[in-house]
């Protein structure tokens, strides 16, 4: 059987319970604190501990968010993936209510926290976790509280993610196509792995119950429709949709049709595992002069078309932890030494395609060596960037139709952007 | 007042200043009415505003505050002075008298408000309630306000009601007499016009957990289940389960399960259906221990085609969590034919595209279970689920990755070829947390095959050099594991040897252990390895395992390493400083072996080592030294034959986990079992799963004497040493290992030495009282036998074959609970016996009897009950029967107070039933002696 949770705990950074909600009465907060204390004793950093721990027959699952741990406990063989995800959902809901989830906001809003925990889980089984739905029966606004509340339609509605009767003066939809590029290059300059994770992020401000239809340059669809597939079509590896998308329609004729939730959500995510040429290539030469100084020579090259421009490029170059007296020259942008990160951060506001920039940096090293040789971690060079109006996959939104029975005209806004995800080059 | 609320809820700092000012007004007006002390409350309120608005220096402030301790407490939100005042709630720092006074104050204020109908009174109440709840939250006992809180609860304000419900729910269990006070207003609220209030009241009513109030629950629950509003019905469905946990019989007697079953099929609200499903599943699982026949039938009904299909057809209506639940149940359903399987898979196909990883995993479970008997389709399923799984691994939170990777690991063990081309997805990212990296390393080890080994090992070598120590160690171990599972280890050996050249202590240590294992499997590499190992400075090796490995290699390859005796000599000289018995044991063996090979150089050292060993305080070291000494007295050749015989290369290192356990974990796919890599019975609390779940015991319980002969050694290996991976099934290997000493340090492992253990074994077998009679002979002989065997370190149960009759039972029958249920439902009762048992009077838990039966090859499927009545389901299997037949199923009800038992036997082969009955009763009769 898929087991039920016993309780939900919210703990502070020292592992003390701030607020907890008991569901089944078989795990107490004292037990939970004790188990957590053990974990904090064992390792200095609970973040490196497995998110699941077993103590006296009780399983504890926890996640960290800001300065709060969200933890659940169970005495049964529960569904690990589901409960961990549920904890993240709790965080999302709290964020929706308090703007940010942290110790302070929990203390300030404990009554709402109790109300929310009550509705999100009953007797250890998850119930409603959509912030939008919850906010229909747990109001935070005192004034509106006076109005009689009824359990929202949505609870009993087939469209559980959207309320009826939403009204906007101006009907608009914003669709952001965001692709993040993950790259790993080894120290010999070989591309070890690369993939692209894309998401269609939507923000809807639409009245009523609008019916939306989205057309993409999806190869399977275009071929099915017998259209020419001249280079423009793309293959997406694994597509996942928000629950509002009618998956059967997609399976049948690749149409993406849905009634969107109100506000922002991820309509669809996909993955592309084809080899991607690194958009920004970084080469590093490191010269160590015994124990006196170390010199870096960094070349960064943009490997995309000239008409695109990367913005907010940040190249994080790891330097020895005991380095000092930096002397840096760059051919573009500025470089700042960040000792707390043990890195030199080179920022380039705007990096057009097909360009190459250089940076030279010199650091002094202490001549005395530490008695115990510290293990060198040798982190990789990490790169952050954004390239607007560009996608690696070449995905395109061909149309976004919005039909509502009142017949209003809605404005769709579409934007493309490519960002660096886990972009690592080893040295 | 609105502003106060807004500021509060949002937690904005600037708003709070105003908020406090307003509270001042409220408390002022309160004070006017109550006779509260009138000290400088205004001073306090100034203080509670943020420091930047306060002109006083900090030190003066704190001094002032401490003098006003009591008033700090007055404001329900601690002042944002500094973080420490936030962390230690002021209420905890003040003394008990103040607290008491404060509670009295609150009490009188609440009492005054109770009957008031003035406008604005609700707001004041809210403020007071919040105060009470905040005390409750920080752990102050405010139960003394119970009656006042209840008095004030007559309100239409929803938030007030919720706070009151929360308060009541928190204290009712501890104060059942007070809880009675709440029944009235809760019951009234259950008939409120507002469905929200109806639902909330019903939920609170069901959550009181007070046994003697159960009677008040039944009525509201019944109407709740019939309520027109879905929200109330969801609460009611869960309420039935809560009722069941307080008073099972009340729940079943009132036909609640039947009502839930009706809702399950017909309710328009998906969440109601989902909650019915949770409730029914839990109730039936618990009922198995009380009235097994009906519960099993009910469970079967739950898994019947109409129910499953009605759920499947509306799967999209359910919330993601409910979908997991439904899918989990569907995975237990056994379709009648393959067409049905395909239909179900078609319905569920799109669930693989869900963003919730738990839904995807649940769907995968259904698919795998549906196709388990269709090999080719099963393979296709693996292909189909690959892409969604890889996406889940690479996106989402680290915790999700962790959960998914655990499951992937299980799948890869079953279908190793599946991800062999996608190994790059398991390369570690620098920012991955350690727990994800560890799992990724396991994945890389599992997917390695001839085609990708080079790349994977290259990547692993990067980690060994790069990242943190824990991961570096794991990486090296991973390289070693890959080497042991490959045929072509050419490149890997080079890598391993390069590790030794890195001259990092922890790298060297891990590598030495691996090289040792590698040499045991591939002796042909000894030349290359020894050249490098010989150059390792023995001073740099400090970890016991690594030291032991190095010493073993020195002893084993003494011919190839000219200075081996001299290195060992160094170790002997430091004998007293060597803390690890493991190392000292290894040293004894190595020196003895080197003596056979290069006597002139080592004879002195051998003498020193043996005398040091004989004087050693550690039992094992002492014993081994003595053994070697006496063997050597018998002559060098005799000793060499025992200590250093010709070795065979280890062909396969045994797996630490039996395939049976792996199958069980697979059965429990998408649960904690996968994460822990243990079947649930190994980590769940006995008491908990007793009443709630069907107990699924097997002979593998880690509780000592229950284990059968086959299992015991493998567990020893498990417990002691993971990297040696020596399997007991490989008799030859284990002897080799024991005699070359690399394994024997595990403990008093005398049985490894053939020459010694053989006579002992035969002695016990030839013992005048043959063990079968243990079952029937009275206490005296059997206990003496027990003592004797204990002396020898043997297990009495090892040799006990309990069958004096012609029937023999299989040593490790395996029957899963589903199959048991099926069989129990299908078979007719072969015999029913009422039996008197004099020896069960002392039975207070079912465990001893279970252990006894297991020792006699009768396995337990489920057990339960409380003294004086226990109930057991046993099963056994006739020896020499095929794996799926020849089973005997037994239901045993024991009453310890009347010393009677009732036995019901069912058998696959009815003709064997009388024999089995005889055997079973004999076994039962021997219990307790």
């Amino acid at each position: 059987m898929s087991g039920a949770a016993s309780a939900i705990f919210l703990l502070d950074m020292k592992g003390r319970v701030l607020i907890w909600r008991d569901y089944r009465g078989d795990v107490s907060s004292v037990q939970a604190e004790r188990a957590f204390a053990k974990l904090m004793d064992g390792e200095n950093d609970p973040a490196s501990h497995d998110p699941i721990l077993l103590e006296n027959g009780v399983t504890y699952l926890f996640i960290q968010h800001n300065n709060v741990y969200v933890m659940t406990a169970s005495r049964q063989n529960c569904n690990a993936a589901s409960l961990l995800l549920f904890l993240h959902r709790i965080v999302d809901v709290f964020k929706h209510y308090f703007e940010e989830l942290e110790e302070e906001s929990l203390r300030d809003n404990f009554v709402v926290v109790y109300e929310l925990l009550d509705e999100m889980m009953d007797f250890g089984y998850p119930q409603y976790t959509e912030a939008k739905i919850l906010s229909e029966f747990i109001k935070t606004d005192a004034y509106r509280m006076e109005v009689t509340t009824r359990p929202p339609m949505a609870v009993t509605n087939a469209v559980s993610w959207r309320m009826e009767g939403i009204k906007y003066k101006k009907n608009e939809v914003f669709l952001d196509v965001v692709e993040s590029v993950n790259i790993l290059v080894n120290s010999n300059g070989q591309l070890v792995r690369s993939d692209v994770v894309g998401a269609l992020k939507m923000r809807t401000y639409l009245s009523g119950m609008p019916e939306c239809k989205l057309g993409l340059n999806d190869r399977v669809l275009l071929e099915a429709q017998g259209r020419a597939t001249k280079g423009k079509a793309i293959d997406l590896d694994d597509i996942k949709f928000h629950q509002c998308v009618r998956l059967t329609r997609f399976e049948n004729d690749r149409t993406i049709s849905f009634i969107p939730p109100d506000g922002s959500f991820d309509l669809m995510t996909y993955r592309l595992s084809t080899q991607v040429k690194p958009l920004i290539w970084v080469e590093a030469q490191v010269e160590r002069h015994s124990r006196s100084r170390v010199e870096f020579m960094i070349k960064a090259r943009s490997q995309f078309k000239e008409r695109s421009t990367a913005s907010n490029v940040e190249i994080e170059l790891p330097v020895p932890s005991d380095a000092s007296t930096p002397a840096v020259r760059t051919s573009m942008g500025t470089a700042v030494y960040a000792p707390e990160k043990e890195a030199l951060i080179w920022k380039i506001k705007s990096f057009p395609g097909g360009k190459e920039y250089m940076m030279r940096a010199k650091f002094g090293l202490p001549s005395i060596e530490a008695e115990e040789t510290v293990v060198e971690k040798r982190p990789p060079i990490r790169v952050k960037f954004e390239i607007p109006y560009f996608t690696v996959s070449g995905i395109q939104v061909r149309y976004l139709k919005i039909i509502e029975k009142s017949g209003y005209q809605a404005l769709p806004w579409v934007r493309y952007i490519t960002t660096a995800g886990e972009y690592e080059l080893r040295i | 007042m609105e502003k106060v609320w807004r500021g509060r809820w949002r937690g904005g700092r600037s708003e709070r200043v105003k908020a406090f000012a307003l509270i001042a007004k409220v408390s002022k007006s309160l004070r006017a009415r109550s006779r509260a002390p009138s000290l400088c409350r205004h001073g306090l309120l100034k203080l509670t505003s943020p420091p930047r608005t306060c002109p006083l220096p900090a030190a003066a402030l704190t001094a002032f505050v401490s003098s006003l301790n009591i008033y700090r407490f007055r404001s329900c939100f601690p002042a944002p002075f500094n973080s420490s005042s936030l962390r230690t709630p002021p209420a905890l720092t003040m003394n008990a008298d103040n607290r008491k006074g404060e509670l009295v104050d609150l009490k009188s204020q609440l009492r005054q408000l109770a009957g008031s109908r003035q406008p604005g009174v609700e707001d004041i109440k809210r403020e007071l309630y919040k105060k009470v709840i905040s005390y409750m939250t920080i752990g102050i006992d405010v139960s003394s306000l119970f009656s006042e809180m209840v008095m004030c609860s007559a309100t239409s304000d929803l938030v007030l009601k919720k706070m009151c419900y929360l308060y009541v729910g928190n204290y009712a269990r501890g104060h059942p007499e007070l809880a009675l006070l709440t029944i009235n207003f809760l019951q009234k609220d259950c008939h409120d016009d507002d469905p929200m209030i109806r639902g909330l009241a019903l939920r609170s009513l069901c959550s009181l957990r007070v046994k003697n109030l159960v009677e008040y629950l039944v009525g509201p629950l019944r109407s709740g289940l019939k309520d027109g509003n879905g929200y109330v019905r969801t609460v009611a469905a869960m309420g039935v389960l809560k009722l069941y946990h307080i008073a099972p019989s009340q729940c079943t007697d009132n036909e609640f399960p039947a009502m839930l079953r009706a809702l399950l099929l017909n309710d328009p609200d998906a969440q109601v259906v989902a909650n019915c499903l949770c409730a029914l599943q839990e109730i039936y699982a618990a009922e198995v221990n009380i009235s097994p026949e009906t519960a099993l039938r009910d469970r079967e009904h739950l898994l019947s085609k109409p129910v499953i299909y009605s759920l499947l057809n509306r799967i999209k209506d359910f919330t993601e969590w409910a979908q997991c639940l439904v899918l989990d149940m569907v995975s237990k359903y056994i379709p009648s034919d393959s067409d049905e399987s395909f239909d179900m898979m078609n319905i569920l196909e799109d669930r693989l595209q869900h963003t919730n990883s738990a839904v995807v995993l649940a769907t995968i479970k259904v698919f795998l279970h549906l196709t388990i008997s269709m090999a080719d389709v099963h393979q296709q399923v693996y292909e189909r689920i690959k892409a969604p799984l890889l996406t889940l691994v690479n996106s989402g939170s680290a915790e999700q990755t962790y959960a998914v990777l655990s499951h992937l690991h299980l799948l890869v063990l079953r279908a190793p070829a599946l991800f062999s081309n996608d190994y790059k997805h398991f390369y570690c990212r620098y920012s991955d947390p350690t727990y994800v990296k560890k799992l990724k390393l396991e994945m890389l080890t599992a997917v390695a095959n001839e085609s990708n080994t080079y790349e994977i090992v290259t990547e692993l070598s990067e980690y060994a050099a790069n990242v943190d120590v824990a991961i570096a160690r794991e990486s090296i171990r991973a390289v070693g594991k890959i080497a042991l599972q490959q045929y072509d280890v050419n490149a890997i050996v080079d890598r391993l040897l390069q590790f030794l050249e890195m001259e990092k202590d922890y790298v060297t240590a891990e590598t030495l252990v691996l090289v040792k294992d590698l040499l045991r499997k591939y002796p042909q590499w000894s030349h290359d390895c020894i050249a490098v190992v010989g150059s390792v400075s023995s001073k740099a090796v400090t970890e016991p395992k690594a030291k032991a490995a190095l010493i073993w290699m020195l002893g084993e390859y003494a011919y190839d390493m000219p200075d081996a005796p001299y290195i060992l000599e160094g170790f002997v000289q430091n004998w007293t400083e060597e803390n690890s018995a493991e190392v000292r044991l290894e040293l004894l063996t190595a020196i003895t072996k080197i003596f056979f090979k290069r006597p002139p150089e080592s004879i002195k050292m051998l003498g020193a080592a043996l005398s040091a060993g004989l004087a050693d305080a550690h039992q094992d070291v002492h014993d081994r030294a003595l053994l070697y000494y006496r063997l050597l007295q018998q002559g060098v050749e005799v000793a060499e034959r025992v200590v250093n015989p010709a070795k065979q290369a280890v062909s396969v290192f045994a797996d630490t986990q039996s395939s049976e356990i792996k199958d069980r974990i697979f059965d429990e796919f998408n649960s904690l079992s996968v994460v822990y890599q243990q079947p649930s019975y190994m980590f769940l609390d006995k008491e908990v799963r007793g009443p709630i779940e069907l107990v699924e015991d097997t002979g593998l319980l880690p509780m000592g004497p229950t284990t059968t002969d086959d299992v015991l050694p493998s567990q020893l290996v498990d417990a002691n040493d993971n990297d040696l991976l020596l399997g007991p099934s490989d008799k030859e290997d284990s002897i080799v290992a024991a005699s070359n000493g690399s394994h024997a340090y595990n403990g008093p492992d005398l049985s490894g030495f053939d020459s010694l253990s053989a006579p002992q074994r035969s002695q016990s077998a030839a013992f005048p009282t043959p063990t079968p009679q243990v079952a029937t002979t009275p206490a005296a002989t059997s206990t003496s036998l027990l003592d004797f065997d204990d002396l020898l370190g043997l297990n009495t149960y090892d040799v006990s074959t309990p069958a004096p009759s012609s029937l023999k039972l299989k040593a490790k029958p395996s029957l899963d609970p589903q199959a048991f249920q099926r069989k129990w439902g299908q078979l007719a009762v072969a015999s029913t016996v009422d039996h008197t048992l004099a020896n069960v009077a002392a039975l207070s838990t079912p465990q001893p009897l279970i252990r006894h039966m297991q020792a006699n090859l009768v396995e337990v499927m489920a057990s339960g009950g409380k003294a004086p009545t226990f109930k057991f389901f046993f099963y056994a299997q006739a020896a020499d029967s095929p794996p799926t037949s020849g089973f005997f199923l037994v239901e045993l009800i024991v009453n310890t107070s009347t010393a009677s038992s009732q036995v019901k036997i069912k058998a696959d082969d009815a003709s064997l039933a009388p024999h089995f009955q005889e055997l079973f009763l004999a076994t039962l009769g021997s219990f307790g002696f």
Side-chain angles (χ1 to χ4, degrees), chain B residues 471-491:
Chain B
I471 292 301
R473 282 174 182 276
E474 293 281 345
S475 315
I476 298 167
R477 267 177 234 159
V479 173
K481 272 190 215 155
I482 293 174
L484 292 178
Q485 70 198 22
Q486 295 296 313
Y487 297 99
D488 175 30
V489 288
N490 208 335

Side-chain angles (χ1 to χ4, degrees), chain B residues 817-836:
Chain B
Q818 281 89 5
F820 185 94
Q821 282 173 30
R822 223 176 18 250
K823 274 188 196 294
W824 189 263
Q826 286 162 357
L827 295 172
V829 178
S831 66
T832 316
V833 197
D834 284 329
H835 189 66
T836 320

Side-chain angles (χ1 to χ4, degrees), chain B residues 832-852:
Chain B
T832 316
V833 197
D834 284 329
H835 189 66
T836 320
L837 279 176
N839 42 15
V840 294
L843 203 65
S844 59
T845 66
Q847 299 315 324
L849 185 60
I850 293 175
R851 249 169 279 166
H852 172 75

Side-chain angles (χ1 to χ4, degrees), chain A residues 1-2 4 16 18-19 21-25 47-54 56-57 59 62-63 75-82 84-86 88-89 96-99 103-104 107-112 114-115 118-119 122-123 125-129 137-138 140-143 145-146 149-151 155-156 182 184 186-187 192-193 195 238-241 243 247-248 251 271 375-380 382 422 424 426, chain B residues 2 5-6 8-11 13 16 77 86-87 126 130 133-134 137 158-159 162-163 166 173 194-196 200 203 209 229-231 234 238 241-242 245 269 271 275 278 282 316 320-321 325 328 332 350-358 361 387-388 390-392 394 397 399-400 402-403 424-425 427-431 434-435 459 462-463 466-467 469 506 668 670-673 675-676 680 683-685 688 692-693:
Chain A
M1 65 181 275
S2 54
R16 277 187 303 231
L18 294 168
I19 295 183
R21 185 78 179 93
D22 176 22
Y23 294 106
R24 296 177 78 98
S48 66
H49 192 282
D50 297 4
I52 301 178
L53 97 150
L54 181 67
N56 283 335
T59 296
F62 67 93
I63 61 169
R75 280 187 180 271
Q76 302 176 12
N77 188 17
C78 53
N79 184 331
S82 164
L84 282 171
L85 214 58
F86 177 72
H88 278 284
R89 208 54 63 81
H96 173 87
Y97 269 83
F98 317 137
E99 262 132 51
E103 202 182 318
E104 173 92 339
R107 285 188 188 279
D108 286 352
N109 299 291
F110 62 92
V111 175
V112 189
Y114 279 128
E115 284 184 54
D118 252 6
E119 294 299 341
D122 197 3
F123 211 52
Y125 292 99
Q127 304 282 313
Y128 306 107
T129 50
F137 46 100
I138 300 169
T140 54
D141 192 321
Y143 182 69
M145 202 97 68
E146 306 300 329
T149 44
R150 307 206 153 263
V155 172
T156 51
N182 299 321
L184 179 61
N186 73 8
S187 41
V192 179
R193 66 171 277 212
D195 60 17
D238 182 47
I239 309 176
K240 292 202 189 310
F241 290 106
Q243 56 166 330
L247 293 170
T248 26
E251 289 294 319
R271 187 168 52 86
V375 183
E376 246 192 283
K377 281 201 174 167
R378 299 231 314 250
R382 287 192 274 183
E422 297 282 336
E424 299 176 355
R426 291 182 184 151
Chain B
E2 277 163 47
W5 287 96
R6 236 178 236 143
R8 264 315 139 65
W9 296 124
R10 289 289 171 196
R13 254 169 198 265
R16 195 172 310 122
F77 291 101
L86 272 177
R87 290 235 172 79
R126 262 194 201 176
K130 262 178 97 170
I133 300 288
S134 79
T137 305
L158 192 64
V159 176
K162 279 188 183 173
M163 286 196 268
L166 182 69
R173 198 154 48 135
D194 186 344
M196 195 76 204
L200 287 169
R203 185 188 291 155
R209 290 192 213 133
N229 188 288
Y231 179 76
T234 49
M238 218 34 117
L241 181 58
K242 290 174 188 166
H245 273 260
D269 189 316
Q271 192 59 38
N275 284 6
C278 313
E282 252 193 63
K316 294 181 185 84
E320 47 200 319
W321 319 110
L325 214 78
D328 188 61
K332 291 180 194 140
D350 57 21
R351 291 300 101 192
L352 290 173
Q353 247 126 27
H354 206 282
T355 40
N356 184 319
S357 59
L361 286 176
L390 287 177
T391 309
L392 288 177
N394 288 303
S397 65
E399 290 86 5
Q400 177 186 308
Y402 176 79
K424 284 184 180 169
H425 286 280
Y427 283 3
C428 297
R429 292 171 181 169
Y430 185 72
S431 51
T434 313
Y435 54 83
E459 179 72 11
E462 288 264 357
Y463 305 150
N466 262 345
V467 272
V469 178
Y506 59 93
E668 295 176 333
N670 202 18
S671 74
L672 286 171
S673 312
V675 177
Y676 294 142
S680 58
F683 61 85
L684 284 188
D685 248 5
V688 176
I692 292 185
E693 264 182 287

